[in-house]
Amino acid sequence: MSGVWMYAQDSGYTSRQSLVGFTVEAADGVIGHVDRQQDQAGMQHLVVDTGVWVFGKSVLIPAGAVTRIDTEAGTVKVSGTQEEIKAAPRFTTDSETAEHGYLSAVGDYYLSLRRPLAP
């Protein structure tokens, strides 16, 4: 499961790059902007402020769900649709990021969204 907590080599992420303020886009539209970022090895993730889209809540997105970073446009593209991200385990406080059970649930959820490769 550790792969879900690391940026893919082809995502465009560079070490210690700040993504705070970047717009986050799902496969079918914008979901919000990066509010906070965790770069701890094996736990890389983004906390995305969804604004009014999900009733003012934030969502935690593992780095492995990031498919592309465009630093010039200030965008982060993530795998999954808006509905799939909305259905992810709900993020409510920063203390949850320290709870192993919550991180396992988030990691398992995003791993379940990975599309099988075509034969």
Side-chain angles (χ1 to χ4, degrees):
M1 180 171 67
S2 64
V4 77
W5 299 106
M6 297 171 13
Y7 292 96
Q9 289 182 347
D10 61 353
S11 69
Y13 179 77
T14 57
S15 181
R16 305 287 182 223
Q17 174 183 16
S18 177
L19 302 175
V20 173
F22 279 38
T23 299
V24 180
E25 300 176 356
D28 57 352
V30 172
I31 62 168
H33 70 274
V34 178
D35 186 43
R36 293 184 298 282
Q37 172 181 358
Q38 173 60 258
D39 265 340
Q40 181 180 347
M43 288 187 63
Q44 293 175 310
H45 62 268
L46 304 173
V47 175
V48 179
D49 179 350
T50 62
V52 296
W53 176 65
V54 186
F55 307 111
K57 298 208 177 196
S58 294
V59 293
L60 187 141
I61 299 179
V66 173
T67 58
R68 190 79 196 128
I69 297 168
D70 184 337
T71 53
E72 288 186 27
T75 58
V76 174
K77 294 187 187 263
V78 296
S79 60
T81 65
Q82 290 176 331
E83 286 303 313
E84 289 171 332
I85 293 168
K86 190 185 284 188
R90 203 51 40 223
F91 175 81
T92 56
T93 65
D94 284 326
S95 65
E96 282 182 327
T97 60
E99 294 178 19
H100 180 70
Y102 173 74
L103 292 176
S104 290
V106 170
D108 289 345
Y109 179 78
Y110 279 93
L111 284 172
S112 77
L113 296 180
R114 291 195 173 164
R115 311 294 191 261
L117 297 175

